[in-house]
Amino acid sequence: MFSVVHGSTWSPIALAVNPDLSGDFRELIEAIDGRKISLREAPREAELVRRRRPYAVDAADTYRHTYRPLIDLSRPAGYIAVPVVVGSRAVAMIHVDRQNDGLTDTDVHIVGTLAAVCASSKERADLRRQIHACNEHVDAEIQRLTRALRHLEHTPVTIPELGTREPSSPDMATFDTQPQDRIIPRAQTLTTRERDVLTLMASGATNAAISRQLCISEATVKSHVQRIFKKLGASTRAEVAALYANAKRVPGAS
């Protein structure tokens, strides 16, 4: 018999009967219907779940501290129960009884091996579900980025020709910041340095390239980029570039 553990209850959900047995087990089979049984009604099963250890009893002890309704229907000569342990928690139990002979060490070993296989299968199933959830999240992010890139692809983009104006200081150019105010009203809250960084970001420059162009550290560039994202309500550089490109299309933009 296979049972699933739910907190302080357990539920018998499956039963296999050796076809060579001559007894009538129809009532026992009908009793395995997934009903929730309190562990308080089965002290041996409760101890198994708590300590995550198997137990085996002979005919004389099968009625002591076990779940009587099922024992009355099976009337075993020997009974063993083994926990299925996943993540240091008993999530299920495997119950096996013998009708004519007492239990042997081989019985205990076989059932213990079966429980280990069930635990391994449960762990793999849980891992597959986690991987599936991660894949769905990654796919959603890829689709969001793809939409932003397709929008950018179909938007006429004018990339500022950096360095074509007379620099005001060595290695420093004066950048066109006028289109930024047309992105969204919040763009007007950008500082002068953030506008310089935004212009270079929109041209596709990396943090390292911006650092060299503006003669500031990459850490400072990263800080500017994060503030720009926050002020413009964007989450990716592609979104920022798309907003900037739309601003360039506004009549009268430089």
Side-chain angles (χ1 to χ4, degrees), residues 41-59:
E41 300 179 51
R44 286 191 186 274
E45 280 77 6
E47 184 72 1
L48 177 148
V49 170
R50 185 177 68 84
R51 303 185 66 178
R52 301 181 298 280
R53 294 180 182 176
Y55 72 84
V57 294
D58 291 327

Side-chain angles (χ1 to χ4, degrees), residues 154-166:
H154 295 93
T155 301
V157 179
T158 302
I159 300 178
E161 297 182 0
L162 303 179
T164 58
R165 298 186 181 185
E166 186 69 20

